[in-house]
Amino acid sequence: MDDKILHTLEYRKILNKCSGYTQTSMGKQIVDQLKPDTNIDVVLLLLKATDEAYTVDRLKGTPPFGGITDITAATKRAQLGGTLNPHELLAVSNTIYGSRRIKRFIANIHEDEEVEILFSLSEGISEQKVLEDAIKSCIDESAEVMDSASTELGQVRRELRSGESRIREKLDSMIRSSTVSKMLQDQLVTIRGDRFVIPVKAEYRSHFGGIVHDQSGSGATMFIEPEVIVVMNNKLRELRMREEREIEVILQKLTALVGDQAEMLLIDIDLVGQLDFIFAKARLAHVMKATMPRMNDRGYLNLRKGRHPLIPLDQVVPLDVELGNSHTSIIVTGPNTGGKTVTLKTIGLLSLMAMSGLFVPAEEESQLCVFDAIFADIGDEQSIEQNLSTFSSHMTNIIRILKQMTTKSLILLDEVGAGTDPAEGSALAISILEHIHRFGCRMVATTHYSELKAYAYERKGLINASMEFDVNTLSPTYRLLIGIPGRSNAFAIGERLGLPQNILDFARGEVKEEDMRVEHMIASLEENRLRAENERAEAEKIRMEMEVLRRTHQRELEKLEQSRDKLLEKAELDAQEVINKARSEAERIISDLRELAMAEGASVKEHKLIAARKQLEEAEPKQRKKIPAKTQNKARTIESGDDVKVYSLNQKGTVVELIGNKEALVQLGIMKMKVSLDDLELLSANKSDKPQIQKQVTMVKRTRDDNIRTELDLRGDNLEEALMEVDHFIDEAFLSNLGQVHIIHGKGTGILRTGIQDYLRKHKHVKSYRLGNYGEGGNGVTVAELH
């Protein structure tokens, strides 16, 4: 891809944003070198990797890249036989540890959520645990070689500490004596050039033997190594030299280990950099509220609510555009400052981003194409250095584009033909556009020339478009209107600003009648479009209101059914308790009668007592039957018109019609309801029988879906009702071992959201909660994490 195009479409600014989310220098380097790819298979792979990282980042957060540094230079030097210093070896150890943490992080996620590409990359990381342990056993976190690195080093350092201690004791005894202390500038022991010295006043220099190592700036103080400790200091120097030699041996051994694993370490560094780069793309997608586009290589582009990523969210106007289906070229007309150039840059930049494996700020299901090249001639490219006018610069660019374009290219032309005589410019623009269109490229071009409106109208595969302009506010809305050519709006603007009417009338008289008819036609199209959009918005509003009412009524019906069932169950329990008491009393009386008969020799027969107990049992009210166990094959032969029994309701009915392969519409008395085929038992296959309307009113309980809900929609509920549903929903989710649930409360006034979140904060099964991310519903959804 031409670097000039990348600069024109501000592609580098997107990479700078992405680079800000990398955590390693390797990842940053990959981002800085990123360019769009023209192979659709590669692009799909890049996007899939970004999608996996987006999912991981949303569910588990960012992988731990801490402690990882670019050890490429140190590793290559070790491979060539150079010796690494302790800081470099520590960096190698920390990078090995950090790489292993990332590998395990992704492996753990892969067990729950399949992330094939990330897992494949992380599996390539070698776990250099032996090398890491070898370095850590010799070098501490401060990059110092430890005494335990070798036996020899430990022995030398013990002798060093012992020798230093003896020297200090000797010097301390000297400076404490009254004879010597008066000759000293300060009563302290210091070091000059790795040798212990004492500060002596200059006039007493001759009273001390030994070596002068330094003097103060004023010359009043001499730093002298007394003769009595010269030999001791010499011994220390020899020990320090032994220490340095032993440290060098240790560093060489560790460096050799790094050199042995250099190839694997370099691969690890590359893989970690790629993972960092992929997760940086995912974090950029979160920040931009971007989505994964669908890709093709057949020249089809369909942006839904596409936004320019460099314009703030509160200012950008979404763009809807389709190219490559019924039309392969779009001619955008309209006044300056209306957003035509931004439209071109948005189409081009989002295409480049998708071809680089980046998500694009657009609605889901947006489609973009993998072009073999994108060419753009945008903006005023007047060049003083090359002595080229604006028109010449545009022509130079267009000539280059015409030479390099292919049938799989995307061409973006801004103000084609501008900068010269309008008559010649419009003719030249039509000729250039006609050549590109016939060549088969995908093209979006902007222009001021009204002649191009008729040109686009007459050509198959071309379509007019314009940037909407609000005459009432005298300002553009920056909305792209496909199928409607742009209007000049000059007369309307002049009239609104107060231009005298006679001037306006004269001006209108100068305009050709044909041009006026075109303007009136465009105005009529705009009015019809606005009316259609308003009607569609009103219809959508009514549909949403009806949907809310339907859900509300459905929930009320469910609540009534649940309340009825609870009342019936309580009544049955109360009745059973009364029956149990009566039975116990009857048993007691019968037992007393039997004992009395035996005691008095009365002729109360045992069979009469048994008959009395049987009559008592028969008088006992029957409870509702429980739903019997269902068989696997009873519902297989059910057809329309069959008499069936509904297990869950213990009711008989007739099948009115089958709905798909899993449900049937069943007539139950005066009611019809959808019932799962698994909940039906075939009684008879008499299709001629029509369902009879029962005289008695039958209460019906709707069957529940066997699937566990992960979402609860509370829109339209009041707070009290909502909290009851949330309590039941959380308990159900907890018993089903769900880790995360979504509660949809809508945005509204925020009362429902606040009440639900206050309730979740105190619930024993709720570990944490948060508002939904982009793609989850935003502020209208609360996501709860369960214990």
Side-chain angles (χ1 to χ4, degrees), residues 14-125:
I14 298 299
L15 295 190
N16 290 339
K17 280 179 171 287
C18 185
S19 180
Y21 295 104
T22 58
Q23 300 185 60
T24 68
S25 59
M26 299 86 72
K28 185 178 186 303
Q29 186 177 7
I30 294 175
V31 173
D32 292 342
Q33 297 173 353
L34 181 64
K35 284 193 175 182
D37 202 292
T38 57
N39 186 318
I40 189 169
D41 294 328
V42 174
V43 171
L44 292 174
L45 195 66
L46 292 172
L47 285 171
K48 187 174 186 298
T50 307
D51 186 46
E52 291 181 358
Y54 187 93
T55 302
V56 171
D57 195 41
R58 176 173 55 84
L59 296 177
K60 300 293 184 180
T62 306
F65 285 94
I68 296 177
T69 55
D70 188 358
I71 58 171
T72 302
T75 304
K76 288 183 177 179
R77 195 164 76 254
Q79 194 175 22
L80 295 173
T83 303
L84 304 184
N85 62 45
H87 288 280
E88 292 172 322
L89 289 167
L90 181 62
V92 171
S93 174
N94 289 338
T95 299
I96 292 172
Y97 173 70
S99 301
R100 190 168 63 255
R101 278 198 308 169
I102 292 173
K103 180 175 182 177
R104 293 178 179 175
F105 176 86
I106 294 176
N108 290 336
I109 290 175
H110 188 63
E111 293 178 358
D112 302 325
E113 186 78 25
E114 186 173 344
V115 285
E116 182 180 344
I117 296 176
L118 296 179
F119 181 71
S120 177
L121 286 173
S122 65
E123 278 296 288
I125 297 174

Side-chain angles (χ1 to χ4, degrees), residues 591-659:
S591 178
D592 291 346
L593 286 173
R594 185 181 289 112
E595 291 177 359
L596 181 62
M598 291 177 63
E600 298 182 358
S603 59
V604 180
K605 301 297 184 181
E606 183 67 24
H607 72 275
K608 292 183 177 180
L609 296 177
I610 295 172
R613 183 183 294 109
K614 184 176 181 182
Q615 290 178 357
L616 179 64
E617 291 175 352
E618 290 175 351
E620 179 180 318
K622 303 298 182 183
Q623 295 185 5
R624 290 185 301 167
K625 293 182 179 179
K626 301 296 182 181
I627 298 174
K630 305 171 189 175
T631 59
Q632 294 292 330
N633 56 1
K634 285 187 178 179
R636 291 180 181 171
T637 59
I638 292 177
E639 297 178 359
S640 178
D642 291 346
D643 292 334
V644 294
K645 178 179 180 180
V646 181
Y647 282 118
S648 59
L649 304 177
N650 195 25
Q651 294 288 329
K652 295 180 180 179
T654 303
V655 176
V656 177
E657 63 175 317
L658 296 176
I659 304 174

Side-chain angles (χ1 to χ4, degrees), residues 190-207:
T190 186
I191 296 176
R192 289 292 187 275
D194 290 336
R195 300 181 77 87
F196 288 90
V197 295
I198 54 176
V200 180
K201 294 177 182 178
E203 58 267 29
Y204 296 108
R205 165 68 184 87
S206 58
H207 289 76

Side-chain angles (χ1 to χ4, degrees), residues 346-400:
T346 301
I347 294 171
L349 182 55
L350 296 194
S351 296
L352 291 176
M353 290 173 61
M355 291 166 64
S356 303
L358 297 169
F359 281 14
V360 297
E363 284 190 351
E364 293 183 357
E365 299 302 312
S366 290
Q367 288 199 53
L368 290 169
C369 175
V370 177
F371 297 102
D372 64 356
I374 297 177
F375 298 100
D377 177 54
I378 297 176
D380 185 358
E381 304 213 7
Q382 184 172 355
S383 173
I384 297 175
E385 295 83 356
Q386 299 177 20
N387 194 26
L388 295 175
S389 66
T390 300
F391 178 75
S392 299
S393 295
H394 282 301
M395 285 300 102
T396 302
N397 284 337
I398 290 174
I399 291 169
R400 179 178 55 85

Side-chain angles (χ1 to χ4, degrees), residues 534-546:
N534 291 334
E535 290 175 355
R536 184 176 62 183
E538 186 65 26
E540 181 65 18
K541 180 181 177 183
I542 294 173
R543 189 191 68 79
M544 293 295 293
E545 291 175 353
M546 294 301 295

Side-chain angles (χ1 to χ4, degrees), residues 462-478:
L462 271 78
I463 191 169
N464 275 305
S466 61
M467 305 307 297
E468 187 179 54
F469 189 88
D470 190 339
V471 180
N472 295 323
T473 62
L474 302 181
S475 61
T477 65
Y478 303 106

Side-chain angles (χ1 to χ4, degrees), residues 542-558:
I542 294 173
R543 189 191 68 79
M544 293 295 293
E545 291 175 353
M546 294 301 295
E547 183 66 21
V548 170
L549 286 174
R550 187 192 67 78
R551 284 198 296 265
T552 302
H553 291 160
Q554 189 66 33
R555 284 194 292 268
E556 291 295 333
L557 178 61
E558 291 177 7

Side-chain angles (χ1 to χ4, degrees), residues 343-576:
T343 297
L344 291 181
K345 287 189 173 183
T346 301
I347 294 171
L349 182 55
L350 296 194
S351 296
L352 291 176
M353 290 173 61
M355 291 166 64
S356 303
L358 297 169
F359 281 14
V360 297
E363 284 190 351
E364 293 183 357
E365 299 302 312
S366 290
Q367 288 199 53
L368 290 169
C369 175
V370 177
F371 297 102
D372 64 356
I374 297 177
F375 298 100
D377 177 54
I378 297 176
D380 185 358
E381 304 213 7
Q382 184 172 355
S383 173
I384 297 175
E385 295 83 356
Q386 299 177 20
N387 194 26
L388 295 175
S389 66
T390 300
F391 178 75
S392 299
S393 295
H394 282 301
M395 285 300 102
T396 302
N397 284 337
I398 290 174
I399 291 169
R400 179 178 55 85
I401 291 171
L402 295 177
K403 290 179 179 179
Q404 298 178 4
M405 68 183 184
T406 71
T407 56
K408 293 186 176 181
S409 299
L410 172 64
I411 313 296
L412 305 172
L413 301 177
D414 190 24
E415 301 298 347
V416 59
T420 187
D421 177 75
E424 294 182 356
S426 61
L428 187 59
I430 290 175
S431 179
I432 292 171
L433 297 180
E434 179 68 14
H435 175 78
I436 296 174
H437 178 62
R438 287 184 175 180
F439 194 78
C441 297
R442 301 296 181 262
M443 175 178 63
V444 182
T446 69
T447 181
H448 281 304
Y449 298 131
S450 59
E451 291 84 355
L452 270 71
K453 302 175 188 177
Y455 162 71
Y457 182 76
E458 294 171 353
R459 294 295 187 276
K460 183 179 180 181
L462 271 78
I463 191 169
N464 275 305
S466 61
M467 305 307 297
E468 187 179 54
F469 189 88
D470 190 339
V471 180
N472 295 323
T473 62
L474 302 181
S475 61
T477 65
Y478 303 106
R479 291 179 59 202
L480 179 67
L481 307 177
I482 301 294
I484 300 177
R487 297 173 59 195
S488 65
N489 295 305
F491 294 152
I493 294 172
E495 185 175 13
R496 185 167 179 80
L497 292 176
L499 192 67
Q501 190 63 41
N502 61 324
I503 296 178
L504 290 171
D505 292 340
F506 183 82
R508 289 191 178 98
E510 292 298 309
V511 178
K512 295 179 182 178
E513 184 179 349
E514 181 182 349
D515 293 336
M516 288 300 295
R517 284 201 304 270
V518 171
E519 286 294 318
H520 290 320
M521 178 193 70
I522 295 173
S524 176
L525 285 173
E526 279 201 70
E527 289 176 5
N528 291 336
R529 178 190 59 80
L530 289 172
R531 188 182 306 111
E533 285 189 359
N534 291 334
E535 290 175 355
R536 184 176 62 183
E538 186 65 26
E540 181 65 18
K541 180 181 177 183
I542 294 173
R543 189 191 68 79
M544 293 295 293
E545 291 175 353
M546 294 301 295
E547 183 66 21
V548 170
L549 286 174
R550 187 192 67 78
R551 284 198 296 265
T552 302
H553 291 160
Q554 189 66 33
R555 284 194 292 268
E556 291 295 333
L557 178 61
E558 291 177 7
K559 290 176 183 176
L560 287 173
E561 291 174 349
Q562 292 173 1
S563 176
R564 180 210 64 187
D565 289 340
K566 289 180 180 178
L567 290 174
L568 286 174
E569 185 178 354
K570 185 176 184 303
E572 288 177 356
L573 292 175
D574 292 343
Q576 187 63 44

